[in-house]
Amino acid sequence: QVQLVESGGGLVEPGGSLRLSCAASGFIFSDSYMSWIRQVPGRGLECISYISGSQDDVYYADSVKGRFTISRDNGKNSLYLQMNSLRVEDTGVFYCARDMGFGRYDPWGQGTLVSVSS
Amino acid sequence: QSALTQPAYVSGSPGQSIAISCTGTSSDVGSDRYVSWYQQHPGKAPKLIIYEVSNRPSGISDRFSGSKSGNTASLTISGLQAEDEAEYYCCSHAVGRILLFGGGTKLTVL
């Protein structure tokens, strides 16, 4: 079945770095846009980045531009999010999702918690 | 503050129908047919239940339906069941290929 499994979250101090991973299975990963979506209590959901299958179409929300880098390895069916210069306000649950276009995210991974605190 | 406005809470009794609204602007909800809805149970990931205003993914009950009028989209759940108790989020494509989410609506089944 179509499945996404995230890993890599954890506790990090402000200014630190983390790399999130998302392992995909059950669909043609290389043909799919993929997105990272963050859920912050009190601030809801935000699509912070997406990448096309061919990696020539990449988007970052203003809130993470210049600090986060999305990438993928189609040979490993894996999606990544390198997060640098982390801030307290980056704290939240990060989900990877297959992006079927125009707000159609299906499925989502189980999420991985990122906590930025000193 | 979320760009799309949803009521914070709605409630209904088993068997009843409820509707959740999602209000935006002519630049997002009102601009095209790309409104989706997600259901999220506590501790779980969001799940797509409606896309392109009124389409249901395979496996989603026909008790869930979507519609849109002007700048407001709506999710209707008919024949309310205890398992429907969850948080519901709307999402809309906006000009510039930006995706906006609503702040979420907590549905309580009485």
Side-chain angles (χ1 to χ4, degrees):
Chain A
Q1 73 279 20
V2 180
Q3 188 174 12
L4 299 169
V5 179
E6 299 99 336
S7 59
L11 175 63
V12 62
E13 293 185 345
S17 298
L18 276 177
R19 188 193 195 209
L20 306 184
S21 299
C22 171
S25 60
F27 64 100
I28 303 175
F29 181 73
S30 58
D31 286 351
S32 302
Y33 271 74
M34 297 294 297
S35 291
W36 287 101
I37 299 166
R38 177 171 62 189
Q39 185 166 33
V40 178
R43 281 172 40 200
L45 294 160
E46 178 187 18
C47 175
I48 57 171
S49 185
Y50 65 69
I51 186 170
S52 64
S54 58
Q55 306 184 60
D56 58 358
D57 187 12
V58 175
Y59 161 85
Y60 298 99
D62 288 343
S63 57
V64 306
K65 197 174 295 182
R67 301 187 298 122
F68 291 9
T69 302
I70 192 171
S71 63
R72 62 193 295 161
D73 185 335
N74 289 337
K76 295 182 177 180
N77 285 354
S78 293
L79 176 73
Y80 306 101
L81 186 68
Q82 177 67 43
M83 304 187 295
N84 298 330
S85 304
L86 282 161
R87 305 167 180 169
V88 171
E89 57 265 33
D90 290 320
T91 294
V93 178
F94 285 69
Y95 297 96
C96 67
R98 182 175 58 174
D99 184 346
M100 302 179 76
F102 300 107
R104 185 180 173 185
Y105 300 106
D106 188 25
W108 298 51
Q110 85 285 359
T112 187
L113 177 63
V114 172
S115 297
V116 185
S117 174
S118 54
Chain B
Q1 185 175 1
S2 300
L4 305 180
T5 301
Q6 298 180 234
Y9 305 95
V10 296
S11 62
S13 299
Q16 286 185 331
S17 294
I18 64 95
I20 299 172
S21 62
C22 171
T23 301
T25 70
S26 58
S27 295
D28 39 70
V29 175
S31 68
D32 54 33
R33 289 195 56 80
Y34 298 114
V35 177
S36 51
W37 289 90
Y38 295 87
Q39 176 192 62
Q40 185 177 33
H41 288 107
K44 301 293 187 180
K47 178 182 178 182
L48 179 70
I49 56 173
I50 295 288
Y51 66 96
E52 293 177 12
V53 174
S54 59
N55 293 311
R56 282 185 307 275
S58 173
I60 299 301
S61 171
D62 61 4
R63 296 187 300 106
F64 295 90
S65 62
S67 62
K68 192 186 80 160
S69 178
N71 297 335
T72 298
S74 297
L75 171 71
T76 299
I77 308 174
S78 59
L80 209 55
Q81 299 179 1
E83 68 206 48
D84 299 331
E85 187 162 294
E87 191 97 18
Y88 291 84
Y89 294 90
C90 63
C91 176
S92 175
H93 170 252
V95 173
R97 209 195 160 177
I98 295 171
L99 273 302
L100 303 173
F101 284 94
T105 298
K106 182 173 174 54
L107 169 63
T108 299
V109 180
L110 303 171

